[in-house]
Amino acid sequence: MTEDQSFLRDAVVSKIPDAAFYIPNFITEEEERQIIKSVNSVPQPKWTQLSHRRLQNWGGIPHPKGMIAEGMPDWLQKYIDKVTTLNAFEKEVVPNHVLINEYLSGQGIMRHSDGPLFYPVVTTISCGSHTLLDFYKRLETTEQQQQKLEFSLLLERRSLLVLQKDLYHNYLHSIAERDSDKLSEFSIKNLHMCAEKFTEQEIIKRGTRLSLTIRHVPKTSKLKLKIF
């Protein structure tokens, strides 16, 4: 952790590989309401429908040849600025892309890493519902069948999660397709950091969750599109 990131010291999730930071109630209830309202008010073509969820790209579409940068709407720029003040990124690195995923109860996402298209820091704001994020050690392709769940993090609504370093490069993360989660301090490494206090083996129901994943795409096209 650099000196500029010292403010994150109280947010570090201990007893797991470097590095995850968890901040409950990063946004207010009113900010959460405004985000949900703004996301659901965009024109239908802004949504990309996948088989198990739908999503929105803001700032451009990441591509190996470079992202054609688009302007960011004010309602999203507000949260980019809020994340930037945390110095989770290096001083010269400013987030320029937001991926919004909508997960209905029972929906999830397969094991994946964010990969080389992005600067190796991922920051995620959760709105509308909690979820459980599962982590698996990245193995060689021939060993993938041997992957086992290493640990999980509970992402409460209105929370912020920051992933960096070893967790970014050498671990995969996923969300299981189920409509409720059983909580255990043994497997959920940030349970003691959550705003709400839970009992061991408590089962909590999922609702509709919107995740705002705020990242930096280093390779962008010089052509910048302005949105109105």
Side-chain angles (χ1 to χ4, degrees):
M1 188 183 302
T2 67
E3 185 176 344
D4 289 331
Q5 295 173 332
S6 58
F7 66 92
L8 280 175
R9 200 180 309 277
D10 292 338
V12 67
V13 182
S14 59
K15 299 181 181 178
I16 63 172
D18 258 355
F21 305 90
Y22 181 74
I23 303 177
N25 291 322
F26 179 69
I27 60 172
T28 66
E29 291 184 12
E30 178 57 29
E31 287 174 325
E32 179 187 40
R33 280 192 291 270
Q34 289 301 317
I35 288 172
I36 294 172
K37 180 180 178 181
S38 297
V39 169
N40 291 325
S41 297
V42 303
Q44 194 63 30
K46 188 65 181 175
W47 287 100
T48 299
Q49 183 67 54
L50 304 181
S51 57
H52 294 286
R53 68 186 191 285
R54 60 178 185 161
L55 56 83
Q56 299 175 11
N57 273 287
W58 292 94
I61 308 293
H63 190 277
K65 293 184 178 180
M67 180 177 76
I68 298 177
E70 301 174 357
M72 199 69 67
D74 291 343
W75 64 271
L76 272 180
Q77 188 63 49
K78 172 182 178 180
Y79 300 101
I80 290 177
D81 294 343
K82 191 166 185 174
V83 166
T84 301
T85 62
L86 296 177
N87 297 325
F89 298 82
E90 295 292 332
K91 279 185 176 179
E92 306 302 319
V93 178
V94 178
N96 60 357
H97 181 262
V98 181
L99 177 66
I100 299 177
N101 277 295
E102 179 192 66
Y103 296 93
L104 304 180
S105 178
Q107 293 182 336
I109 187 170
M110 63 186 296
R111 300 173 198 176
H112 68 283
S113 64
D114 287 57
L117 289 183
F118 302 97
Y119 182 82
V121 173
V122 55
T123 64
T124 303
I125 299 172
S126 296
C127 298
S129 175
H130 82 280
T131 201
L132 209 58
L133 195 63
D134 298 327
F135 288 83
Y136 297 81
K137 182 77 173 175
R138 184 195 294 276
L139 302 174
E140 295 300 324
T141 305
T142 56
E143 301 176 307
Q144 291 304 319
Q145 297 302 319
Q146 303 172 30
Q147 279 184 326
K148 64 180 178 63
L149 176 63
E150 298 285 338
F151 61 90
S152 302
L153 298 176
L154 178 62
L155 310 187
E156 297 172 285
R157 57 190 301 178
R158 298 185 293 279
S159 69
L160 176 75
L161 176 70
V162 180
L163 298 179
Q164 303 174 342
K165 302 179 183 176
D166 194 28
L167 281 183
Y168 187 95
H169 293 290
N170 298 316
Y171 282 78
L172 307 179
H173 51 272
S174 66
I175 297 172
E177 293 185 333
R178 56 176 178 255
D179 58 14
S180 64
D181 297 292
K182 182 183 286 189
L183 306 184
S184 167
E185 285 191 7
F186 177 76
S187 58
I188 303 173
K189 300 304 184 182
N190 69 325
L191 202 58
H192 64 289
M193 304 171 70
C194 291
E196 191 171 342
K197 299 309 170 190
F198 301 98
T199 57
E200 186 69 12
Q201 301 299 307
E202 182 174 345
I203 296 175
I204 54 176
K205 295 281 189 180
R206 293 185 190 174
T208 298
R209 173 175 174 261
L210 294 174
S211 65
L212 278 62
T213 301
I214 300 170
R215 293 175 290 200
H216 175 75
V217 178
K219 191 174 181 180
T220 59
S221 167
K222 292 181 180 179
L223 173 65
K224 184 165 185 176
L225 302 179
K226 186 175 182 180
I227 61 171
F228 298 93

